[in-house]
Amino acid sequence: MPFSKTIAFHTLGCKLNYAETSTLSRMLEADGFEKTDFEDTADVYVINTCSVTDNADKECRQIVRRIQRRAPEATVVITGCYAQLKPEEIAKIEGVDLVLGAAEKFNLSKHLLEYTKGDSAKICSCDIDEVHGFNSSYSLTDRTRTFLKVQDGCDYNCSFCTIPLARGHSRSDSIEGVLKNVKELAASGTKEIVLTGINLGDFGKGNEGGKKREENFYDLVQALDETAGIERYRISSIEPNLLSNEIIEFVAKSKKFMPHFHIPLQSGSDKILGAMRRRYRTDLYTERIATIKQLIPHCCIGVDVIVGFPSETDDDFKDTFNFLHTLDISYLHVFTYSERANTLALDIKPVVPGNIRHERNKALRNLSYQKMQYFTSLHNGQTRKVLFESAQKNGMMEGFTDNYIKVETPFRAEWVNQIIDWSL
């Protein structure tokens, strides 16, 4: 393949996927490919997929059809979670040329340089049990916040989730490796790093020469706090059972770790939490929120919740709604349960009808709006530090306070990637 090929990337799913796509893009550019916008005509299109919900699968298929209409001679590569879980299904999609599983994702350049377009898709996948390596990744775009991947995979076995099948066992970078990336990001002008992983609080697992590292997430947080160059850190989603009091206490005292947690709940019904095979119940979750609010009253707390899980009755949903309504949290990410192949939840009955799932989703999204409005109102008149981003829309720019309140103001170039004292 000549080195004049243009390549375009598209990402579906989580922050970790965005970090990996950004890293793949830099790797391919270093190997001579010319990156172009995904909406432009390119020689190669790479779609890094998610498969948490059925909608992500559908979106992947729709994107491939769009590419076929725009550039029928282009090489189309599918990688990511959907590619690992259903490579044969993807290979049958008209227009797909290469399907790269979890172990081959970071060998993308090699596969493209060796690839010759044929009549059928080539699958380069593997048994997920054979995926052992950790590939560090971080996003570098026009955003001022960088997503830094420090952990991958998951050893949990939640009954609704395919992530362990798509990502493999829990493993992570070393603290030394993370600090190396942080120093590179600081040198590039990054002001804020969002720590990301599949099960972030499980940081520290990693087999090197048969030895398990004696490091954990709390050790990482302390090391980052002492490292010069980065002004702000955020902890992305962290399981409530792994969010220890010592981590909360450390964030409360830190000047670099922002007062912002995102803590998955999934259900406010202990019965449903049991069916989901979650590793906590509502009493522990309540305790975590109370500790955060006691030590960091102004802390923003986001919550993941799933509606319509099999066997979720009206009363179970009311328990969830009432639990969230009374909890001192700031916003919700609401997911409608979606059947996933090879998950234990498929055997749980009765199935909740689609229209009821939709109604429950709407109810919690409305609650989330009210929660965020109330949380924002508590800070009216306060001055907080805002990091402004470079993107502008209709002459406006956006930024986030330390505790994740979004602000908007007319675009000022001198404020891009600057932390400004802002009166709310």
Side-chain angles (χ1 to χ4, degrees):
M1 175 182 286
F3 278 74
S4 60
K5 293 275 187 179
T6 54
I7 189 165
F9 293 85
H10 188 78
T11 307
L12 301 171
C14 62
K15 295 181 176 74
L16 192 147
N17 268 11
Y18 280 92
E20 291 183 338
T21 300
S22 183
T23 297
L24 286 172
S25 174
R26 293 192 299 275
M27 290 170 65
L28 270 291
E29 287 183 271
D31 285 340
F33 291 83
E34 180 187 345
K35 184 184 175 185
T36 188
D37 189 88
F38 198 79
E39 297 307 317
D40 294 339
T41 300
D43 298 309
V44 180
Y45 292 89
V46 181
I47 306 172
N48 191 7
T49 61
C50 168
S51 198
V52 170
T53 67
D54 186 53
N55 188 57
D57 297 357
K58 290 177 182 175
E59 191 172 357
C60 175
R61 293 190 289 270
Q62 290 168 355
I63 292 168
V64 173
R65 284 197 291 270
R66 288 212 312 267
I67 294 171
Q68 278 291 93
R69 291 194 293 270
R70 184 192 315 146
E73 299 304 314
T75 299
V76 177
V77 184
I78 311 295
T79 189
C81 292
Y82 183 27
Q84 178 64 41
L85 290 171
K86 298 181 179 179
E88 291 81 10
E89 179 178 302
I90 296 172
K92 293 176 183 175
I93 299 173
E94 185 179 354
V96 171
D97 298 293
L98 268 173
V99 183
L100 302 184
E104 297 300 322
K105 181 188 301 181
F106 287 90
N107 293 326
L108 173 62
S109 182
K110 171 179 175 289
H111 286 291
L112 285 174
L113 291 169
E114 294 175 352
Y115 179 72
T116 301
K117 195 174 177 72
D119 296 328
S120 60
K122 179 182 178 183
I123 297 175
C124 302
S125 191
C126 66
D127 189 319
I128 196 63
D129 291 335
E130 296 173 8
V131 177
H132 300 295
F134 179 85
N135 296 97
S136 65
S137 306
Y138 55 79
S139 61
L140 267 185
T141 63
D142 62 348
R143 297 179 70 86
T144 51
R145 285 181 293 145
T146 291
F147 301 126
L148 173 60
K149 171 186 165 186
V150 301
Q151 187 275 340
D152 201 351
C154 186
D155 292 338
Y156 288 5
N157 192 25
C158 299
S159 61
F160 54 83
C161 188
T162 59
I163 294 300
L165 300 174
R167 287 276 182 175
H169 65 86
S170 179
R171 57 205 186 277
S172 57
D173 205 344
S174 63
I175 290 178
E176 181 183 4
V178 174
L179 295 182
K180 178 178 179 291
N181 283 331
V182 166
K183 288 170 185 174
E184 290 176 5
L185 288 167
S188 76
T190 297
K191 289 285 200 301
E192 178 175 309
I193 290 176
V194 183
L195 301 176
T196 64
I198 294 297
N199 190 353
L200 185 61
D202 208 26
F203 176 89
K205 290 185 177 178
N207 297 309
E208 294 163 331
K211 290 183 67 176
K212 181 179 176 182
R213 292 198 299 271
E214 295 298 322
E215 299 176 342
N216 59 39
F217 187 65
Y218 182 54
D219 296 331
L220 174 64
V221 167
Q222 293 179 93
L224 289 171
D225 203 63
E226 295 170 1
T227 302
I230 298 295
E231 296 186 47
R232 305 190 355 166
Y233 292 99
R234 289 189 197 275
I235 298 170
S236 68
S237 184
I238 182 168
E239 294 286 303
N241 53 300
L242 296 176
L243 178 57
S244 64
N245 285 339
E246 63 181 358
I247 294 172
I248 298 170
E249 290 164 5
F250 189 86
V251 171
K253 297 173 185 175
S254 172
K255 291 182 179 178
K256 291 189 176 183
F257 276 85
M258 298 296 96
H260 176 205
F261 288 103
H262 194 94
I263 315 168
L265 171 66
Q266 310 307 10
S267 177
S269 160
D270 283 338
K271 183 195 93 176
I272 297 299
L273 286 175
M276 289 177 166
R277 301 184 67 162
R278 299 293 285 166
R279 298 193 178 196
Y280 55 86
R281 295 297 180 263
T282 52
D283 56 349
L284 182 141
Y285 199 93
T286 302
E287 182 184 312
R288 292 290 184 271
I289 302 302
T291 301
I292 293 169
K293 284 298 181 175
Q294 179 186 354
L295 296 174
I296 323 171
H298 57 284
C299 187
C300 181
I301 303 176
V303 181
D304 288 339
V305 61
I306 296 171
V307 296
F309 186 81
S311 80
E312 182 186 65
T313 64
D314 286 342
D315 286 341
D316 294 329
F317 177 70
K318 286 177 185 175
D319 287 343
T320 294
F321 186 93
N322 292 334
F323 181 70
L324 290 166
H325 187 267
T326 57
L327 214 55
D328 194 359
I329 57 172
S330 312
Y331 65 91
L332 304 171
H333 283 174
V334 187
F335 299 89
T336 301
Y337 171 76
S338 179
E339 284 80 359
R340 303 278 78 194
N342 301 312
T343 56
L344 297 170
L346 291 176
D347 296 326
I348 301 174
K349 304 295 185 231
V351 172
V352 178
N355 63 315
I356 294 177
R357 298 185 205 185
H358 177 73
E359 289 169 5
R360 292 174 182 173
N361 183 299
K362 185 177 180 180
L364 287 187
R365 281 189 287 114
N366 287 337
L367 178 62
S368 176
Y369 175 79
Q370 293 167 15
K371 286 278 188 182
M372 196 62 202
Q373 291 292 106
Y374 177 70
F375 177 74
T376 302
S377 73
L378 294 176
H379 299 83
N380 287 345
Q382 290 187 10
T383 298
R384 305 207 73 88
K385 293 188 179 299
V386 174
L387 175 60
F388 281 99
E389 298 181 353
S390 58
Q392 61 170 310
K393 185 177 180 181
N394 299 323
M396 305 295 284
M397 68 192 306
E398 293 179 346
F400 286 91
T401 64
D402 55 345
N403 60 343
Y404 209 60
I405 295 172
K406 183 190 285 188
V407 302
E408 190 177 66
T409 189
F411 184 82
R412 295 174 61 168
E414 68 272 22
W415 280 9
V416 171
N417 202 28
Q418 297 300 312
I419 297 173
I420 307 292
D421 286 332
W422 187 264
S423 179
L424 294 170

